[in-house]
Amino acid sequence: MKLLFDQNLSWRLVKVVSNAFPGSTHVVSLGLSGASDEEIWAYARENGFCICTKDADFHQLSFLHGPPPKVVWLQTPNRPTWEIARLVEDHLEDIRNFASTEEALMIIRQRP
């Protein structure tokens, strides 16, 4: 599975997951920085990505359209990139397991 990081997350997160999820990228790297959620959704579906986001709109799209793509929704307040990176690193195996399920959405909440 490849992850596509949404604009509300740092492009630096790609490096965090590069070993576990080769081929992952950020919307900015693809020229999609000003794209709508629907355009990002379509790109992810057509190119085999799982969307990783903090945007609740992708939650709604996942129930409206179903997979693909799958969505990993990071429910966390604004935090420094290193904290978000740690959250993602702590859940790499969970994300990997999510890839083999039929679920459309995975929610990862930051622990207090």
Side-chain angles (χ1 to χ4, degrees):
M1 173 166 64
K2 303 179 292 185
L3 299 178
L4 176 58
F5 288 94
D6 192 17
Q7 1 194 34
N8 55 20
L9 293 168
S10 172
W11 57 269
R12 291 178 177 97
L13 294 172
V14 174
K15 186 174 181 180
V16 172
V17 302
S18 63
N19 288 333
F21 300 103
S24 295
T25 192
H26 193 276
V27 293
V28 171
S29 300
L30 298 171
L32 296 171
S33 61
S36 69
D37 291 342
E38 287 282 351
E39 290 170 314
I40 293 169
W41 181 272
Y43 185 91
R45 181 184 64 240
E46 292 165 9
N47 294 281
F49 283 97
C50 171
I51 298 169
C52 190
T53 186
K54 285 179 53 180
D55 188 345
D57 292 344
F58 285 105
H59 168 253
Q60 295 167 344
L61 287 172
S62 72
F63 286 110
L64 179 64
H65 300 298
K70 291 177 173 261
V71 175
V72 174
W73 183 17
L74 303 178
Q75 290 185 340
T76 179
N78 288 335
R79 299 283 187 220
T81 298
W82 69 267
E83 282 189 39
I84 303 295
R86 182 183 300 160
L87 179 66
V88 171
E89 286 175 324
D90 288 348
H91 291 278
L92 287 177
E93 191 61 33
D94 298 327
I95 296 168
R96 187 176 288 120
N97 292 335
F98 169 61
S100 63
T101 70
E102 294 187 22
E103 299 296 320
L105 176 72
M106 175 183 187
I107 299 172
I108 298 174
R109 291 182 178 94
Q110 186 172 24
R111 297 178 197 145

